Amino acid sequence: MYSSLVLSLAIEAKNTEEDGLLEAWELMDMNIKADLAVLSACETGRGETSSGEGIVGLSWAFFIAGTPRIVATQWKVESASTALIMQNFHRNFSKSRDVAKSLQTAMLFQIKNPKTKHPFYWAGFVSIGKN
């Protein structure tokens, strides 16, 4: 429940109780009208196992908040290859609106590159939820 997104504090917020973290428990209380959340930072698809709930973390919190589709990572990802896979994913998704196919196409692009063909550079990304 304390997995979080680190946000920048507005100048006005510096004199408040706000800590700049958007935690999973805070996300659950939001009504997010996004069709897709892309969480490409390290281990965003992971969470803690909770009996009766399964894995509770950021991706779960986005589902509770109303986001039906999420792209997240299962482990620590490398920055440069993540930037490439995200560029390709977004380019593909803007054309097809198919999350799984767009992610697969971006992964195949990584596999064709000798520098990023090892699964470490692309296999950590997952599509969760409605395609």
Side-chain angles (χ1 to χ4, degrees), residues 46-86:
R46 298 188 62 175
E48 297 293 321
T49 303
S50 171
S51 61
E53 297 296 337
I55 297 177
V56 177
L58 284 175
S59 56
W60 179 81
F62 271 96
F63 280 126
I64 299 299
T67 305
R69 305 188 290 181
I70 294 151
V71 171
T73 61
Q74 300 179 89
W75 56 71
K76 292 183 180 177
V77 291
E78 193 266 335
S79 295
S81 61
T82 294
L84 285 174
I85 205 165
M86 286 294 103

Side-chain angles (χ1 to χ4, degrees), residues 11-130:
I11 293 172
E12 302 83 37
K14 289 190 178 181
N15 295 329
T16 69
E17 301 278 331
E18 187 55 54
D19 60 2
L21 301 176
L22 180 56
E23 295 176 312
W25 66 270
E26 293 174 299
L27 274 168
M28 291 172 24
D29 288 336
M30 301 173 104
N31 183 15
I32 299 176
K33 302 227 185 273
D35 187 47
L36 170 68
V38 178
L39 308 171
S40 61
C42 296
E43 302 176 308
T44 53
R46 298 188 62 175
E48 297 293 321
T49 303
S50 171
S51 61
E53 297 296 337
I55 297 177
V56 177
L58 284 175
S59 56
W60 179 81
F62 271 96
F63 280 126
I64 299 299
T67 305
R69 305 188 290 181
I70 294 151
V71 171
T73 61
Q74 300 179 89
W75 56 71
K76 292 183 180 177
V77 291
E78 193 266 335
S79 295
S81 61
T82 294
L84 285 174
I85 205 165
M86 286 294 103
Q87 288 170 2
N88 284 307
F89 167 76
H90 287 288
R91 187 176 299 117
N92 296 326
F93 183 71
S94 69
K95 295 174 189 169
S96 71
R97 308 306 289 176
D98 184 319
V99 177
K101 185 70 174 167
S102 297
L103 189 57
Q104 178 188 37
T105 303
M107 289 174 167
L108 290 171
F109 181 83
Q110 298 290 84
I111 292 169
K112 291 177 186 174
N113 182 340
K115 292 181 180 178
T116 59
K117 69 179 182 179
H118 189 280
F120 168 76
Y121 296 104
W122 55 267
F125 295 88
V126 292
S127 169
I128 307 167
K130 175 183 147 191

